[in-house]
mmCIF file with all atom_site columns, all heavy atoms in Angstrom:
data_model
loop_
_atom_site.group_PDB
_atom_site.id
_atom_site.type_symbol
_atom_site.label_atom_id
_atom_site.label_alt_id
_atom_site.label_comp_id
_atom_site.label_asym_id
_atom_site.label_entity_id
_atom_site.label_seq_id
_atom_site.pdbx_PDB_ins_code
_atom_site.Cartn_x
_atom_site.Cartn_y
_atom_site.Cartn_z
_atom_site.occupancy
_atom_site.B_iso_or_equiv
_atom_site.pdbx_formal_charge
_atom_site.auth_seq_id
_atom_site.auth_comp_id
_atom_site.auth_asym_id
_atom_site.auth_atom_id
_atom_site.pdbx_PDB_model_num
ATOM 1   N N   . VAL A 1 44 ? 119.077 110.895 138.635 1.00 0.00 ? 44 VAL A N   1
ATOM 2   C CA  . VAL A 1 44 ? 120.203 111.768 139.010 1.00 0.00 ? 44 VAL A CA  1
ATOM 3   C C   . VAL A 1 44 ? 119.698 113.124 139.374 1.00 0.00 ? 44 VAL A C   1
ATOM 4   O O   . VAL A 1 44 ? 120.071 113.750 140.488 1.00 0.00 ? 44 VAL A O   1
ATOM 5   C CB  . VAL A 1 44 ? 121.125 111.856 137.877 1.00 0.00 ? 44 VAL A CB  1
ATOM 6   C CG1 . VAL A 1 44 ? 122.325 112.864 138.106 1.00 0.00 ? 44 VAL A CG1 1
ATOM 7   C CG2 . VAL A 1 44 ? 121.788 110.589 137.640 1.00 0.00 ? 44 VAL A CG2 1
ATOM 8   N N   . VAL A 1 45 ? 118.725 113.704 138.661 1.00 0.00 ? 45 VAL A N   1
ATOM 9   C CA  . VAL A 1 45 ? 118.255 115.000 138.963 1.00 0.00 ? 45 VAL A CA  1
ATOM 10  C C   . VAL A 1 45 ? 117.533 114.995 140.290 1.00 0.00 ? 45 VAL A C   1
ATOM 11  O O   . VAL A 1 45 ? 117.696 115.875 141.162 1.00 0.00 ? 45 VAL A O   1
ATOM 12  C CB  . VAL A 1 45 ? 117.263 115.516 137.788 1.00 0.00 ? 45 VAL A CB  1
ATOM 13  C CG1 . VAL A 1 45 ? 116.518 116.740 138.261 1.00 0.00 ? 45 VAL A CG1 1
ATOM 14  C CG2 . VAL A 1 45 ? 118.088 115.745 136.577 1.00 0.00 ? 45 VAL A CG2 1
ATOM 15  N N   . PHE A 1 46 ? 116.731 113.952 140.619 1.00 0.00 ? 46 PHE A N   1
ATOM 16  C CA  . PHE A 1 46 ? 115.985 113.775 141.837 1.00 0.00 ? 46 PHE A CA  1
ATOM 17  C C   . PHE A 1 46 ? 116.994 113.780 143.051 1.00 0.00 ? 46 PHE A C   1
ATOM 18  O O   . PHE A 1 46 ? 116.882 114.574 143.973 1.00 0.00 ? 46 PHE A O   1
ATOM 19  C CB  . PHE A 1 46 ? 115.159 112.584 141.816 1.00 0.00 ? 46 PHE A CB  1
ATOM 20  C CG  . PHE A 1 46 ? 114.426 112.213 143.138 1.00 0.00 ? 46 PHE A CG  1
ATOM 21  C CD1 . PHE A 1 46 ? 113.379 112.925 143.571 1.00 0.00 ? 46 PHE A CD1 1
ATOM 22  C CD2 . PHE A 1 46 ? 114.985 111.167 143.878 1.00 0.00 ? 46 PHE A CD2 1
ATOM 23  C CE1 . PHE A 1 46 ? 112.858 112.616 144.731 1.00 0.00 ? 46 PHE A CE1 1
ATOM 24  C CE2 . PHE A 1 46 ? 114.385 110.820 145.074 1.00 0.00 ? 46 PHE A CE2 1
ATOM 25  C CZ  . PHE A 1 46 ? 113.307 111.617 145.600 1.00 0.00 ? 46 PHE A CZ  1
ATOM 26  N N   . VAL A 1 47 ? 118.059 113.012 142.866 1.00 0.00 ? 47 VAL A N   1
ATOM 27  C CA  . VAL A 1 47 ? 119.012 112.836 143.957 1.00 0.00 ? 47 VAL A CA  1
ATOM 28  C C   . VAL A 1 47 ? 119.670 114.090 144.293 1.00 0.00 ? 47 VAL A C   1
ATOM 29  O O   . VAL A 1 47 ? 119.819 114.604 145.398 1.00 0.00 ? 47 VAL A O   1
ATOM 30  C CB  . VAL A 1 47 ? 120.018 111.848 143.660 1.00 0.00 ? 47 VAL A CB  1
ATOM 31  C CG1 . VAL A 1 47 ? 121.098 111.804 144.632 1.00 0.00 ? 47 VAL A CG1 1
ATOM 32  C CG2 . VAL A 1 47 ? 119.289 110.372 143.720 1.00 0.00 ? 47 VAL A CG2 1
ATOM 33  N N   . GLU A 1 48 ? 120.046 114.825 143.207 1.00 0.00 ? 48 GLU A N   1
ATOM 34  C CA  . GLU A 1 48 ? 120.782 116.106 143.293 1.00 0.00 ? 48 GLU A CA  1
ATOM 35  C C   . GLU A 1 48 ? 119.897 117.197 143.959 1.00 0.00 ? 48 GLU A C   1
ATOM 36  O O   . GLU A 1 48 ? 120.342 118.038 144.698 1.00 0.00 ? 48 GLU A O   1
ATOM 37  C CB  . GLU A 1 48 ? 121.227 116.681 142.013 1.00 0.00 ? 48 GLU A CB  1
ATOM 38  C CG  . GLU A 1 48 ? 122.498 115.831 141.405 1.00 0.00 ? 48 GLU A CG  1
ATOM 39  C CD  . GLU A 1 48 ? 123.681 115.995 142.286 1.00 0.00 ? 48 GLU A CD  1
ATOM 40  O OE1 . GLU A 1 48 ? 123.942 117.108 142.802 1.00 0.00 ? 48 GLU A OE1 1
ATOM 41  O OE2 . GLU A 1 48 ? 124.229 114.981 142.594 1.00 0.00 ? 48 GLU A OE2 1
ATOM 42  N N   . ILE A 1 49 ? 118.539 117.242 143.621 1.00 0.00 ? 49 ILE A N   1
ATOM 43  C CA  . ILE A 1 49 ? 117.646 118.173 144.268 1.00 0.00 ? 49 ILE A CA  1
ATOM 44  C C   . ILE A 1 49 ? 117.533 117.915 145.799 1.00 0.00 ? 49 ILE A C   1
ATOM 45  O O   . ILE A 1 49 ? 117.583 118.792 146.641 1.00 0.00 ? 49 ILE A O   1
ATOM 46  C CB  . ILE A 1 49 ? 116.287 118.074 143.543 1.00 0.00 ? 49 ILE A CB  1
ATOM 47  C CG1 . ILE A 1 49 ? 116.356 118.653 142.241 1.00 0.00 ? 49 ILE A CG1 1
ATOM 48  C CG2 . ILE A 1 49 ? 115.204 118.889 144.412 1.00 0.00 ? 49 ILE A CG2 1
ATOM 49  C CD1 . ILE A 1 49 ? 115.127 118.594 141.317 1.00 0.00 ? 49 ILE A CD1 1
ATOM 50  N N   . VAL A 1 50 ? 117.396 116.572 146.228 1.00 0.00 ? 50 VAL A N   1
ATOM 51  C CA  . VAL A 1 50 ? 117.311 116.154 147.441 1.00 0.00 ? 50 VAL A CA  1
ATOM 52  C C   . VAL A 1 50 ? 118.539 116.684 148.237 1.00 0.00 ? 50 VAL A C   1
ATOM 53  O O   . VAL A 1 50 ? 118.479 117.181 149.330 1.00 0.00 ? 50 VAL A O   1
ATOM 54  C CB  . VAL A 1 50 ? 116.964 114.740 147.645 1.00 0.00 ? 50 VAL A CB  1
ATOM 55  C CG1 . VAL A 1 50 ? 117.117 114.240 149.203 1.00 0.00 ? 50 VAL A CG1 1
ATOM 56  C CG2 . VAL A 1 50 ? 115.606 114.368 147.106 1.00 0.00 ? 50 VAL A CG2 1
ATOM 57  N N   . ILE A 1 51 ? 119.650 116.322 147.702 1.00 0.00 ? 51 ILE A N   1
ATOM 58  C CA  . ILE A 1 51 ? 120.959 116.685 148.339 1.00 0.00 ? 51 ILE A CA  1
ATOM 59  C C   . ILE A 1 51 ? 120.943 118.197 148.505 1.00 0.00 ? 51 ILE A C   1
ATOM 60  O O   . ILE A 1 51 ? 121.423 118.713 149.666 1.00 0.00 ? 51 ILE A O   1
ATOM 61  C CB  . ILE A 1 51 ? 122.181 116.233 147.614 1.00 0.00 ? 51 ILE A CB  1
ATOM 62  C CG1 . ILE A 1 51 ? 122.100 114.691 147.522 1.00 0.00 ? 51 ILE A CG1 1
ATOM 63  C CG2 . ILE A 1 51 ? 123.448 116.789 148.167 1.00 0.00 ? 51 ILE A CG2 1
ATOM 64  C CD1 . ILE A 1 51 ? 123.205 114.047 146.709 1.00 0.00 ? 51 ILE A CD1 1
ATOM 65  N N   . ALA A 1 52 ? 120.675 118.927 147.530 1.00 0.00 ? 52 ALA A N   1
ATOM 66  C CA  . ALA A 1 52 ? 120.859 120.400 147.570 1.00 0.00 ? 52 ALA A CA  1
ATOM 67  C C   . ALA A 1 52 ? 119.844 121.023 148.654 1.00 0.00 ? 52 ALA A C   1
ATOM 68  O O   . ALA A 1 52 ? 120.277 121.952 149.310 1.00 0.00 ? 52 ALA A O   1
ATOM 69  C CB  . ALA A 1 52 ? 120.542 121.052 146.220 1.00 0.00 ? 52 ALA A CB  1
ATOM 70  N N   . VAL A 1 53 ? 118.730 120.470 148.716 1.00 0.00 ? 53 VAL A N   1
ATOM 71  C CA  . VAL A 1 53 ? 117.780 120.936 149.742 1.00 0.00 ? 53 VAL A CA  1
ATOM 72  C C   . VAL A 1 53 ? 118.242 120.596 151.135 1.00 0.00 ? 53 VAL A C   1
ATOM 73  O O   . VAL A 1 53 ? 118.074 121.448 152.121 1.00 0.00 ? 53 VAL A O   1
ATOM 74  C CB  . VAL A 1 53 ? 116.293 120.361 149.400 1.00 0.00 ? 53 VAL A CB  1
ATOM 75  C CG1 . VAL A 1 53 ? 115.354 120.780 150.585 1.00 0.00 ? 53 VAL A CG1 1
ATOM 76  C CG2 . VAL A 1 53 ? 115.767 120.921 148.114 1.00 0.00 ? 53 VAL A CG2 1
ATOM 77  N N   . VAL A 1 54 ? 118.588 119.382 151.373 1.00 0.00 ? 54 VAL A N   1
ATOM 78  C CA  . VAL A 1 54 ? 119.012 118.946 152.661 1.00 0.00 ? 54 VAL A CA  1
ATOM 79  C C   . VAL A 1 54 ? 120.260 119.660 153.140 1.00 0.00 ? 54 VAL A C   1
ATOM 80  O O   . VAL A 1 54 ? 120.389 120.065 154.343 1.00 0.00 ? 54 VAL A O   1
ATOM 81  C CB  . VAL A 1 54 ? 119.384 117.427 152.667 1.00 0.00 ? 54 VAL A CB  1
ATOM 82  C CG1 . VAL A 1 54 ? 119.969 116.956 154.025 1.00 0.00 ? 54 VAL A CG1 1
ATOM 83  C CG2 . VAL A 1 54 ? 118.077 116.677 152.376 1.00 0.00 ? 54 VAL A CG2 1
ATOM 84  N N   . ALA A 1 55 ? 121.124 120.028 152.176 1.00 0.00 ? 55 ALA A N   1
ATOM 85  C CA  . ALA A 1 55 ? 122.478 120.733 152.500 1.00 0.00 ? 55 ALA A CA  1
ATOM 86  C C   . ALA A 1 55 ? 122.070 122.211 153.059 1.00 0.00 ? 55 ALA A C   1
ATOM 87  O O   . ALA A 1 55 ? 122.899 122.797 153.754 1.00 0.00 ? 55 ALA A O   1
ATOM 88  C CB  . ALA A 1 55 ? 123.371 120.865 151.339 1.00 0.00 ? 55 ALA A CB  1
ATOM 89  N N   . LEU A 1 56 ? 120.949 122.668 152.671 1.00 0.00 ? 56 LEU A N   1
ATOM 90  C CA  . LEU A 1 56 ? 120.566 124.154 153.089 1.00 0.00 ? 56 LEU A CA  1
ATOM 91  C C   . LEU A 1 56 ? 120.350 124.206 154.621 1.00 0.00 ? 56 LEU A C   1
ATOM 92  O O   . LEU A 1 56 ? 120.528 125.281 155.202 1.00 0.00 ? 56 LEU A O   1
ATOM 93  C CB  . LEU A 1 56 ? 119.253 124.484 152.403 1.00 0.00 ? 56 LEU A CB  1
ATOM 94  C CG  . LEU A 1 56 ? 119.434 124.832 150.939 1.00 0.00 ? 56 LEU A CG  1
ATOM 95  C CD1 . LEU A 1 56 ? 118.045 125.149 150.211 1.00 0.00 ? 56 LEU A CD1 1
ATOM 96  C CD2 . LEU A 1 56 ? 120.318 126.032 150.686 1.00 0.00 ? 56 LEU A CD2 1
ATOM 97  N N   . PHE A 1 57 ? 119.925 122.978 155.286 1.00 0.00 ? 57 PHE A N   1
ATOM 98  C CA  . PHE A 1 57 ? 119.705 123.019 156.697 1.00 0.00 ? 57 PHE A CA  1
ATOM 99  C C   . PHE A 1 57 ? 120.956 123.340 157.455 1.00 0.00 ? 57 PHE A C   1
ATOM 100 O O   . PHE A 1 57 ? 120.809 123.952 158.543 1.00 0.00 ? 57 PHE A O   1
ATOM 101 C CB  . PHE A 1 57 ? 119.074 121.752 157.107 1.00 0.00 ? 57 PHE A CB  1
ATOM 102 C CG  . PHE A 1 57 ? 117.600 121.637 156.657 1.00 0.00 ? 57 PHE A CG  1
ATOM 103 C CD1 . PHE A 1 57 ? 117.339 120.953 155.490 1.00 0.00 ? 57 PHE A CD1 1
ATOM 104 C CD2 . PHE A 1 57 ? 116.544 122.044 157.365 1.00 0.00 ? 57 PHE A CD2 1
ATOM 105 C CE1 . PHE A 1 57 ? 115.991 120.857 154.839 1.00 0.00 ? 57 PHE A CE1 1
ATOM 106 C CE2 . PHE A 1 57 ? 115.245 122.037 156.848 1.00 0.00 ? 57 PHE A CE2 1
ATOM 107 C CZ  . PHE A 1 57 ? 115.018 121.373 155.798 1.00 0.00 ? 57 PHE A CZ  1
ATOM 108 N N   . GLY A 1 58 ? 122.052 122.855 157.079 1.00 0.00 ? 58 GLY A N   1
ATOM 109 C CA  . GLY A 1 58 ? 123.338 123.060 157.928 1.00 0.00 ? 58 GLY A CA  1
ATOM 110 C C   . GLY A 1 58 ? 124.294 123.987 157.305 1.00 0.00 ? 58 GLY A C   1
ATOM 111 O O   . GLY A 1 58 ? 125.279 124.164 157.956 1.00 0.00 ? 58 GLY A O   1
ATOM 112 N N   . ALA A 1 59 ? 124.047 124.609 156.203 1.00 0.00 ? 59 ALA A N   1
ATOM 113 C CA  . ALA A 1 59 ? 124.925 125.551 155.723 1.00 0.00 ? 59 ALA A CA  1
ATOM 114 C C   . ALA A 1 59 ? 124.692 126.977 156.172 1.00 0.00 ? 59 ALA A C   1
ATOM 115 O O   . ALA A 1 59 ? 123.431 127.421 156.251 1.00 0.00 ? 59 ALA A O   1
ATOM 116 C CB  . ALA A 1 59 ? 124.902 125.610 154.099 1.00 0.00 ? 59 ALA A CB  1
ATOM 117 N N   . ARG A 1 60 ? 125.740 127.591 156.532 1.00 0.00 ? 60 ARG A N   1
ATOM 118 C CA  . ARG A 1 60 ? 125.736 129.134 156.989 1.00 0.00 ? 60 ARG A CA  1
ATOM 119 C C   . ARG A 1 60 ? 125.880 130.138 155.934 1.00 0.00 ? 60 ARG A C   1
ATOM 120 O O   . ARG A 1 60 ? 125.737 131.255 156.112 1.00 0.00 ? 60 ARG A O   1
ATOM 121 C CB  . ARG A 1 60 ? 126.451 129.206 158.236 1.00 0.00 ? 60 ARG A CB  1
ATOM 122 C CG  . ARG A 1 60 ? 125.982 128.440 159.399 1.00 0.00 ? 60 ARG A CG  1
ATOM 123 C CD  . ARG A 1 60 ? 126.975 128.800 160.598 1.00 0.00 ? 60 ARG A CD  1
ATOM 124 N NE  . ARG A 1 60 ? 128.275 128.236 160.374 1.00 0.00 ? 60 ARG A NE  1
ATOM 125 C CZ  . ARG A 1 60 ? 128.630 127.059 160.770 1.00 0.00 ? 60 ARG A CZ  1
ATOM 126 N NH1 . ARG A 1 60 ? 127.821 126.222 161.342 1.00 0.00 ? 60 ARG A NH1 1
ATOM 127 N NH2 . ARG A 1 60 ? 129.948 126.683 160.556 1.00 0.00 ? 60 ARG A NH2 1
#
Side-chain angles (χ1 to χ4, degrees):
V44 170
V45 171
F46 172 73
V47 170
E48 286 300 314
I49 291 175
V50 172
I51 293 173
V53 172
V54 173
L56 288 173
F57 289 93
R60 293 183 293 271

